[in-house]
Structures are given as structure tokens and as C-alpha cells.
Amino acid sequence: MSLFRTKSVEQSIADTDEPEFRLKKSLTAVDLTVFGVGVVIGAGIFTLTGRAAHDVAGPAVVISFIIAAIACGLAAMCYAEFASTVPVSGSAYTFSYASLGELFAWIIGWDLILEMFLGASVVAQGWSAYLGTFLQQIGIVLPEAVSYGGVVDLPAILLVLVLGGLMTLGIKESLRVNLVLVAVKLFIVLFVIIAGILFINPANYSPFVPESVPTESASGLTQPLLQFLSGLEPATFGVGGILAGAALVFFAYIGFDVVATTAEETKNPQRDLP
């Protein structure tokens, strides 16, 4: 039964008071908000939106975003409840340890590591692609082998190393850089919206939900879980494409999980984290 033993909220909080491992409580509600916005606005919005619209959903990607937003909104409320009740770093790992048991916490802990690896790799590669395009515009061409899509994506690796080094300096230092990046990203999003208004063509929205188109069927471990469970053949566009688009753009909303990990460094988590 030790695999399913739980760790009480009181014990989790008490462990954070150990001088050797104590984190400095320096974050406010504004810091958390900026941090969350900084995490959410990234490769998910800048690179996945066009792919979801072009490949699986068409103009109905708008509905995909609404579906993903509802799912993420409900998940965020759960995270707010847990994070304010158990204000300890670890996010879903800590929450599952307190509610489901050690085995589930171990599994979810590794899931979180995989999630962070996936998120970091997508963001780093997205940044590398944009950097390569920018450098080409100013006449600088990186060697194909060490640029985006090459044997080694050197710009992506350097970005991960630089940001990793920044995080080791401290949460406040990271937040200062994040504040600047958030301001830049908000400007870009608003600029795209305002400038894009001039290029709206209603003809592009018809049909709003394109007819479903069968796609090449996969098998074994490469097939989608829904296909494995239901036997349905994969297709793009149509209702299935909208749901597939929601699964893709869901990535654009992920951020509450990362904010929850800062609970231990928040001055007043019960008030500020929700």
C-alpha cells in the first residue's frame, strides 16, 4: 500500500520550511500575471495557429480555440484551487501526491518532465525558425547543418542554454527579462490583429467548416488514440478536424501549470495564485 500513500498538505508545507531547501517568497499577483501571460503567448499562438487552420480545421479553427479555451478554463480553475490549498512547488506532482498517492505522483511527475521537454523544444525550434528568417532578411545565412531543420539546431540549443542560465540567477531576475518579453509579445499580437484587419477577405471563410477529407491511416504505435479505441478512420476538416485543431491549439493556452510551480515563491498564495 506504500505505493498509494499520500502526503498531507501540512507535511508538504512543513517540508518547504527546511532552511536548506527554502525558497524566497518574493512574487506578487502582478508578477504571477506577467509570468502566466509570458508563458501562454509563445509558439502555440505564433506557429501552431496557421498549421491547425491549414492542415486540419480550416476557418473553423476559431471554434477549435473556443473548445480548447473552455477545457483550459476548467483546468485552470482546478489548478487555482489546488495551488492555493497546497502552496508548494511541484504543481500537479504535489497535488496528486496529496490526493491520489505516491504512484500517481511519480507517473505525473514524469509526465510533467515530458511536457516541459516538449514545450521547450517547440518554443526553441519556433524561435530558431524566426531567427533564421530574420537573418536572411538582413543578408546573413546560417550554415544549413546548424540551423533550423538541420542536423543540429544550434540557435535553439543556444536559446535553451541562455534561458537556463538566466533561471539559475533567480526568479526575480527571470521575471524582469520576462516582463520585457511579454511587452514585446503583446505588441506583436496587437500589431498582427490591427494590421490583419486590412487584409480580411470574407471569401476565405467559405466554407467555414470544410468537408471532411480522409487521410492516410496509421497503424501500431503511430496511430491516434481515438482511432485505436474506436476504429474510426482518421480524417481532416469537418467536425473531426475542429476537434483535432482544438487538440493542437490547446498548447497555446498552457501556462497555469507553470504558474502553479511558483506557489512556494509567492508572498500570499491563497490570495494571489487564484
Side-chain angles (χ1 to χ4, degrees):
M1 292 300 294
S2 62
L3 290 176
F4 300 97
R5 64 185 177 185
T6 59
K7 192 173 186 179
S8 67
V9 174
E10 292 76 16
Q11 182 60 48
S12 296
I13 296 175
D15 290 343
T16 66
D17 291 330
E18 296 183 16
E20 185 178 355
F21 305 107
R22 184 181 299 164
L23 296 174
K24 186 178 179 181
K25 295 182 179 296
S26 56
L27 301 181
T28 64
V30 175
D31 295 328
L32 294 172
T33 302
V34 172
F35 191 58
V37 172
V39 172
V40 170
I41 301 179
I45 292 176
F46 294 140
T47 64
L48 291 183
T49 305
R51 188 187 309 171
H54 182 270
D55 296 341
V56 296
V61 71
V62 175
I63 302 177
S64 299
F65 267 100
I66 294 174
I67 294 173
I70 293 172
C72 283
L74 295 173
M77 292 180 70
C78 295
Y79 269 91
E81 180 77 17
F82 273 119
S84 58
T85 304
V86 193
V88 177
S89 62
S91 186
Y93 167 80
T94 302
F95 309 152
S96 57
Y97 207 156
S99 57
L100 298 175
E102 189 171 15
L103 176 62
F104 291 99
W106 182 83
I107 295 172
I108 290 175
W110 280 107
D111 284 342
L112 287 173
I113 291 175
L114 291 172
E115 175 191 330
M116 298 305 172
F117 267 118
L118 175 63
S121 62
V122 172
V123 171
Q125 282 199 314
W127 181 85
S128 176
Y130 280 118
L131 177 66
T133 302
F134 171 73
L135 292 178
Q136 286 181 359
Q137 295 293 325
I138 60 176
I140 300 175
V141 180
L142 295 175
E144 186 175 341
V146 294
S147 58
Y148 174 73
V151 178
V152 177
D153 195 340
L154 185 59
I157 294 174
L158 292 177
L159 177 68
V160 172
L161 291 176
V162 170
L163 295 183
L166 174 64
M167 286 189 293
T168 63
L169 296 178
I171 188 69
K172 271 295 184 184
E173 289 74 15
S174 300
L175 275 171
R176 291 191 185 100
V177 175
N178 188 60
L179 181 62
V180 176
L181 295 178
V182 167
V184 172
K185 289 192 284 188
L186 286 175
F187 170 78
I188 293 173
V189 170
L190 292 174
F191 174 79
V192 170
I193 292 173
I194 295 172
I197 291 175
L198 303 176
F199 297 93
I200 292 177
N201 182 359
N204 292 328
Y205 292 87
S206 180
F208 188 73
V209 181
E211 291 187 12
S212 180
V213 178
T215 58
E216 184 178 349
S217 179
S219 60
L221 294 177
T222 60
Q223 64 181 320
L225 181 61
L226 182 62
Q227 177 187 336
F228 173 76
L229 295 176
S230 65
L232 295 174
E233 292 299 319
T236 57
F237 305 113
V239 176
I242 293 175
L243 297 178
L248 280 175
V249 301
F250 180 89
F251 187 72
Y253 288 97
I254 298 298
F256 40 79
D257 181 75
V258 178
V259 175
T261 63
T262 64
E264 199 172 321
E265 299 169 271
T266 303
K267 292 179 179 179
N268 191 341
Q270 281 75 23
R271 181 194 66 188
D272 295 338
L273 274 170

